[in-house]
Amino acid sequence: GMCDSLHITEIGNVIGAGGGWTAGDAEPLPAIDPTRLADAQYGSIGGGDLKAQGFSVVGRAGDAIAAVVIEPAGVPPILATLENGWFAAWWPAVVPPNQVGDPALAQEAVVRAYDAAGALLDETSP
């Protein structure tokens, strides 16, 4: 499953806020090429008690990828969090009222993967 946004309260509780999905049993994922991105999913951020709104992207990154940069239209590039073969990032934007969680609203963004020397390895967009 995936939750597009989480709200961490002042006392440390983590609460789902906004869009997301769940599935049945755990599903093993196939291996991906070490230089490739895979399974990029775009979403919107907001809902619950969150004060922020925006868009997000999360996906898989091969073992040779040292950095993932997200380039949304009209927004400076964002260095994604990258750990254990997954990347994730979000950026602020206004999401239309009562539309949080609709992945069709996600702002288009180019996702680029780089190796440790800064060479471009792969890129994808919705």
Side-chain angles (χ1 to χ4, degrees):
M2 186 177 87
C3 184
D4 289 335
S5 51
L6 298 173
H7 177 203
I8 302 173
T9 68
E10 292 177 8
I11 60 171
N13 293 333
V14 179
I15 302 166
W21 58 269
T22 60
D25 297 330
E27 177 181 342
L29 296 172
I32 61 173
D33 182 295
T35 64
R36 297 288 185 202
L37 298 166
D39 306 317
Q41 297 179 42
Y42 294 78
S44 57
I45 303 298
D49 292 330
L50 291 178
K51 305 287 186 263
Q53 289 187 336
F55 297 106
S56 66
V57 62
V58 61
R60 298 172 63 204
D63 291 340
I65 295 173
V68 175
V69 176
I70 315 303
E71 298 179 18
V75 176
I78 301 156
L79 181 62
T81 300
L82 176 63
E83 189 171 341
N84 296 327
W86 290 87
F87 70 88
W90 81 278
W91 55 98
V94 176
V95 178
N98 302 316
Q99 302 278 327
V100 170
D102 182 352
L105 292 175
Q107 181 180 2
E108 186 168 325
V110 176
V111 180
R112 292 191 168 96
Y114 298 90
D115 68 12
L120 179 64
L121 297 176
D122 196 15
E123 69 179 60
T124 187
S125 61

